Amino acid sequence: MNWIVFFDIDGTLTRGVTSGAYLARLLGHERTMKEAEEAYARGELDNNEVCRIDAAGYAGRTTAELFGMLEGMPLVDGVAQAVEAIHTAGGEAHIASLAWDVVGAYLCERYGFDGFVGSKLEMKDGVYTGEVSCALEAGDKCAYARELCVTLGIDLAECVAIGDSRSDIQLFELVGTSIAFNATEEARRVATHVYCGADIADALALAR
């Protein structure tokens, strides 16, 4: 293995909705979550505050319940093909996201991603409490990438990051190749490649 590809979730793997907004609709706090995400996009809230607002809606739920809900979450085209292409080329596909880690765990189970990092909901006796265990910020994606590369003996310069927004910029600057996928202007300015389209496997092809 000589490379790792890091994928963001919200706005990158998801299509037309964030994982948080999608789950919030099913859990009954969609309006509150939408307002929080819009404030985050404007820079008025950090991810810790958004997580705290969102977490309350998960109280009493289980991982199995959330996995069931995530079955219907809209995703971009080519996710399975992208993961397969990475594995065929001798690499690993990892999720580096600020979204809840239960979403990363679900995507790993469904598509074969090799690992994930994300914000954590507090859990007690197998049930979510409605509190936050750990809320990540953009720099935590970089910490995950650095630690993984050290563990696997891979140069960060050989790695790829695919994302769409300001939370991906630090990781874009850390790795050798970055792909802004249907991204904001600020993310496009930093990325080594820009791709607009429906298929993430096509975007990944820019990296090789």
Side-chain angles (χ1 to χ4, degrees):
M1 178 179 42
N2 58 4
W3 66 316
I4 303 170
V5 182
F6 298 97
F7 292 82
D8 177 48
I9 293 178
D10 293 331
T12 302
L13 294 179
T14 63
R15 185 183 73 246
V17 67
T18 66
S19 59
Y22 171 80
L23 286 170
R25 176 172 59 82
L26 298 180
L27 294 168
H29 62 285
E30 180 181 20
R31 181 175 179 180
T32 300
M33 186 56 185
K34 182 179 179 181
E35 291 172 351
E37 289 188 334
E38 289 173 349
Y40 175 81
R42 295 191 298 267
E44 297 169 4
L45 295 179
D46 62 21
N47 194 54
N48 182 66
E49 293 168 310
V50 175
C51 285
R52 179 182 54 79
I53 292 167
D54 188 29
Y58 291 78
R61 300 290 185 166
T62 66
T63 298
E65 285 182 278
L66 297 184
F67 271 31
M69 293 177 184
L70 287 166
E71 284 292 333
M73 184 171 65
L75 300 173
V76 297
D77 296 336
V79 178
Q81 292 83 353
V83 174
E84 182 181 3
I86 293 164
H87 289 162
T88 298
E92 288 196 358
H94 285 254
I95 292 170
S97 175
L98 304 187
W100 296 123
D101 66 347
V102 66
V103 184
Y106 166 78
L107 291 169
C108 285
E109 181 175 288
R110 179 173 177 182
Y111 291 105
F113 286 93
D114 298 284
F116 64 92
V117 66
S119 299
K120 296 181 180 180
L121 291 159
E122 182 182 79
M123 178 175 276
K124 186 175 182 180
D125 298 327
V127 176
Y128 294 110
T129 67
E131 301 292 333
V132 179
S133 174
C134 177
L136 301 190
E137 294 295 342
D140 294 304
K141 295 184 180 185
C142 296
Y144 177 74
R146 288 192 188 97
E147 182 177 344
L148 186 63
C149 283
V150 169
T151 300
L152 298 178
I154 295 174
D155 191 335
L156 280 162
E158 298 299 318
C159 295
V160 179
I162 304 179
D164 71 298
S165 66
R166 66 185 175 93
S167 71
D168 300 299
I169 289 174
Q170 290 184 40
L171 188 55
F172 280 6
E173 294 172 335
L174 182 68
V175 299
T177 303
S178 53
I179 302 170
F181 181 67
N182 298 325
T184 63
E185 176 60 32
E186 59 182 339
R188 293 198 298 268
R189 285 197 298 266
V190 176
T192 53
H193 301 284
V194 173
Y195 183 89
C196 295
D199 194 307
I200 201 162
D202 290 342
L204 176 65
L206 297 174
R208 289 297 193 189

